[in-house]
Amino acid sequence: MRVVRTISDLQGLDLGPVGFVPTMGALHEGHVSLMRLAREVGGSVVVSIFVNPTQFAPDEDFASYPRREEGDIAVAERAGVDVIFAPSTEEVYQSPTTSVVPRGAVASGWEAARRPGHFAGVATVVLKLFNIVRPKTAFFGLKDIQQCAIIKKMVSDLNCGVALRFGPTVRGPDGLALSSRNAYLSNEERRIAPLLHGEICKVASSLLEKRGEDAVSASVANLENAGFTVDYLEIVDVETFLPSRDISKNLRVIAAAWLGRARLIDNEPIGAETFT
Ligand code: AMP
């Protein structure tokens, strides 16, 4: 496996068709599942490790975001990755004045509302990385479902010519979605954290039993009582990200909540997975 730090070194490699997994590092089994999916699809596997400053608001955790490059290199090597692309901030950004700003319902509520500018930072860096890496296929995790929807729309709106594959959320044995930010949890918070997924699943099953609205407010109360501060917990139509209870649509329970210093996000489809 090669570790490459500059765009020109990366573009000098003869990689053939590339499967690309963009990450911010602190790699865990969620990232590894996307690397394995890329391996299965075939071609060379390129993983980027870049903590993108433009997707963090000034009051967010850019400075303290976990950085563990040595461990990440070992994890990626074991997963059969061909190239790690780990550029510096200066390599990626030179006083830019152009960015991609996602608009519309999908890019307005939930994460977009709580984290102004976040998805512009994400869309811009993903488009830049697509232009740098020139992948045939790119792999994203459904744990970040709104990000998946926004990137899917960007690829279509801007004719990126990149095939997208979305991988299922990888969880701990207790249901907690793996996340680099779980490192912020104390032992006690880590014990409580799986409740977020538990309540999401309760809301999903109760809607199928036609008790949606009650279940949402009951779950928010349960989470708050357990020590979470809930940013949002809703049932949305995944085509629009607008609240819906129409089970003929592709519905999803989405949630974000603070637990101590960690902001956890998670989601589950109602019924079988339909987001592709
Ligand atoms: P990040 O490093 O957090 O920016 O994530 C990089 C990619 O890994 C994104 O496409 C995420 O959606 C995906 N990812 C993060 N956590 C998980 C998880 N637990 N299961 C599956 N994919 C994940």
Side-chain angles (χ1 to χ4, degrees):
M1 187 182 75
R2 291 166 189 265
V3 179
V4 172
R5 299 197 184 273
T6 67
I7 296 166
S8 62
D9 282 353
L10 183 74
Q11 293 182 341
L13 299 175
D14 185 11
L15 294 171
V18 165
F20 176 44
V21 183
T23 83
M24 298 205 300
L27 300 179
H28 51 65
E29 281 301 312
H31 299 116
V32 169
S33 70
L34 297 175
M35 296 174 203
R36 291 211 186 97
L37 191 55
R39 194 68 301 153
E40 279 167 29
V41 168
S44 303
V45 178
V46 175
V47 172
S48 63
I49 297 178
F50 181 62
V51 185
N52 173 39
T54 67
Q55 69 190 70
F56 291 79
D59 61 343
E60 290 184 347
D61 57 341
F62 174 69
S64 60
Y65 195 86
R67 290 163 171 87
R68 300 197 282 263
E69 196 186 89
E70 224 174 285
D72 288 348
I73 289 171
V75 168
E77 180 128 49
R78 277 200 300 277
V81 168
D82 297 292
V83 179
I84 292 259
F85 177 53
S88 66
T89 303
E90 298 69 38
E91 181 70 8
V92 176
Y93 293 109
Q94 294 100 28
S95 311
T97 56
T98 308
S99 61
V100 180
V101 182
R103 294 185 211 286
V106 173
S108 299
W110 323 115
E111 289 306 289
R114 269 67 180 185
R115 305 185 66 188
H118 171 65
F119 284 128
V122 169
T124 302
V125 83
V126 168
L127 183 62
K128 282 168 70 68
L129 289 168
F130 283 177
N131 289 336
I132 292 166
V133 177
R134 299 170 192 159
K136 181 171 183 208
T137 311
F139 299 82
F140 293 87
L142 289 169
K143 187 193 151 258
D144 299 285
I145 183 68
Q146 200 176 359
Q147 171 171 283
C148 290
I150 284 171
I151 290 168
K152 188 172 161 183
K153 193 71 172 64
M154 177 184 80
V155 163
S156 146
D157 288 346
L158 302 183
N159 308 91
C160 292
V162 175
L164 297 177
R165 293 284 301 269
F166 302 103
T169 301
V170 178
R171 304 178 178 283
D174 53 11
L176 177 66
L178 301 188
S179 164
S180 308
R181 288 190 168 99
N182 292 352
Y184 301 156
L185 296 169
S186 69
N187 290 339
E188 176 60 8
E189 288 159 355
R190 177 64 188 78
R191 198 182 58 74
I192 298 165
L195 194 65
L196 181 62
H197 181 242
E199 294 298 329
I200 287 172
C201 290
K202 269 207 236 170
V203 169
S205 53
S206 75
L207 185 75
L208 294 174
E209 295 154 19
K210 300 201 186 345
R211 291 184 287 110
E213 200 67 68
D214 290 349
V216 168
S217 45
S219 284
V220 170
N222 289 345
L223 289 166
E224 296 270 347
N225 288 338
F228 289 85
T229 304
V230 177
D231 260 0
Y232 59 82
L233 192 160
E234 249 308 347
I235 304 169
V236 298
D237 175 350
V238 87
E239 300 301 321
T240 60
F241 276 80
L242 296 173
S244 174
R245 300 290 185 272
D246 178 354
I247 56 168
S248 70
K249 307 273 189 202
N250 290 333
L251 297 184
R252 218 161 178 103
V253 184
I254 58 168
W258 286 92
L259 188 58
R261 210 161 71 74
R263 186 173 181 278
L264 307 178
I265 70 169
D266 203 349
N267 70 90
E268 279 287 347
I270 294 183
E273 181 58 69
T274 51
F275 192 94
T276 53

